Amino acid sequence: MTQLSFDAATAKALEKAYHKRDMIRRRRHVREALAARPGERILDVGCGPGFYARELLDEVGQGGSIVAVDASPDMLALARQRCAGHDNVTFGEGNAAALPVNDGAFDAALCVQVMEYVPDPVGALREMYRALRPGGRVLVWDIDWATVWWHSHDPGRMRRVLQAWDEHLVHPSLPRRLGADLRAAGFADVAVAGHSFATVSYDDESFAVAMLGMVADFVPGRNGVTGDEAAAWKAEQRQLAEQGEFFFEGTQFCFTAAKPN
Ligand SMILES: C[S@@+](CC[C@H](N)C(=O)[O-])C[C@H]1O[C@@H](n2cnc3c(N)ncnc32)[C@H](O)[C@@H]1O
């Protein structure tokens, strides 16, 4: 079982997907929940192509700063490009399990759809805890992939494809344990909000359609799914759309908590 690799090809695919309407909506939810203020120092763990870093620069202003960390040099290259011309953002190659940052250096930290790829989430949450000042805020966003489902006339194939897709990460249903993990890491005031991306429209701007291509590219050769089957699985969704039968559901979870004073 080989996880999704965050290489140049994935970085390019995510860069494209993150311009879509549903991903813009997701960033709006994150920014509202994080509530960054002018002058704050923010840590972005697993910054990917740097969309959050760029948008948060506007919120913290010239008096604030962003430190963005990612394990993938390809992602960091895109993030650096996105934030070019700003001197109050720095990027570091590093692992969520051992963040290359000082103790107590941040007012808030975010980690959006990263923890589900990290083998030891409690260890990584402890790292974020260490990086925050007392009273600092944390936001962790992940998907429960067991909630992700496209309607199909071949539910057996759908199940096998989605089981194959589960191999793309370490924790397919991480949100179920994230509340406990945040508490185990020392955080208080743990809260969660669920955001459904359900749709009946085959819409290129949706999470539902953006995911079809990524899943179809990843699953061939896994869990008994062949290349032809993956292509047929994806094609069925367009046919269902033409018949007015398209339906997708998937819930993403936004956890917030604080480091006690
Ligand atoms: C799905 S992308 C999310 C990117 C970004 N947080 C966003 O939502 O726009 C996952 C990111 O996590 C990074 N990542 C995965 N495992 C990591 C780890 N152990 N430490 C640091 N970064 C990691 C990947 O390189 C990738 O950029």
Side-chain angles (χ1 to χ4, degrees):
M1 172 167 133
T2 329
Q3 256 182 257
L4 183 67
S5 159
F6 290 103
D7 55 12
T10 307
K12 201 171 153 205
L14 287 186
E15 163 84 27
K16 195 170 160 214
Y18 287 171
H19 284 286
K20 308 276 184 187
R21 187 199 59 235
D22 272 355
M23 303 313 277
I24 294 169
R25 171 189 152 194
R26 176 163 106 166
R27 288 200 295 280
R28 194 182 67 240
H29 291 313
V30 166
R31 291 202 321 272
E32 281 171 7
L34 190 68
R37 293 184 285 266
E40 284 195 322
R41 302 154 301 167
I42 311 270
L43 171 64
D44 184 0
V45 177
C47 65
F51 285 78
Y52 287 100
R54 178 60 196 86
E55 293 174 13
L56 287 166
L57 278 169
D58 290 339
E59 299 193 11
V60 299
Q62 233 356 85
S65 59
I66 314 285
V67 173
V69 174
D70 202 286
S72 158
D74 295 307
M75 292 288 185
L76 286 168
L78 292 175
R80 283 197 180 94
Q81 219 175 303
R82 173 152 286 102
C83 297
H86 293 266
D87 57 10
N88 52 341
V89 56
T90 53
F91 295 96
E93 190 177 330
N95 199 302
L99 292 169
V101 299
N102 292 332
D103 295 0
F106 298 93
D107 301 297
L110 69 154
C111 184
V112 179
Q113 209 195 334
V114 178
M115 211 52 88
E116 61 197 53
Y117 301 99
V118 175
D120 175 13
V122 176
L125 292 170
R126 284 200 178 108
E127 274 295 275
M128 293 177 81
Y129 184 95
R130 177 184 68 72
L132 287 169
R133 65 162 169 82
R137 315 183 303 284
V138 70
L139 181 151
V140 182
W141 179 294
D142 280 288
I143 299 173
D144 183 344
W145 290 98
T147 68
V148 167
W149 187 262
W150 288 263
H151 166 59
S152 169
H153 288 177
D154 189 343
R157 182 178 65 194
M158 179 60 69
R159 199 166 294 113
R160 281 189 302 108
V161 166
L162 291 177
Q163 277 167 358
W165 174 244
D166 277 350
E167 294 184 16
H168 91 281
L169 77 177
V170 187
H171 307 288
S173 289
L174 184 67
R176 297 176 195 191
R177 54 174 272 201
L178 259 180
D181 286 356
L182 281 159
R183 290 188 188 99
F187 288 103
D189 302 329
V190 178
V192 65
H195 298 280
S196 168
F197 286 76
T199 181
V200 289
S201 301
Y202 190 104
D203 170 358
D204 278 340
E205 291 295 311
S206 67
F207 180 70
V209 171
M211 285 312 299
L212 283 176
M214 292 196 79
V215 173
D217 286 347
F218 182 80
V219 295
R222 299 169 190 270
N223 198 35
V225 180
T226 65
D228 285 351
E229 245 186 321
W233 169 84
K234 186 176 158 195
E236 187 201 18
Q237 292 306 314
R238 196 170 269 288
Q239 287 155 15
L240 289 174
E242 281 160 16
Q243 295 158 210
E245 287 184 59
F246 185 79
F247 172 82
F248 170 84
E249 156 60 356
T251 306
Q252 310 196 12
F253 295 90
C254 181
F255 286 80
T256 50
K259 179 170 176 170
N261 272 303

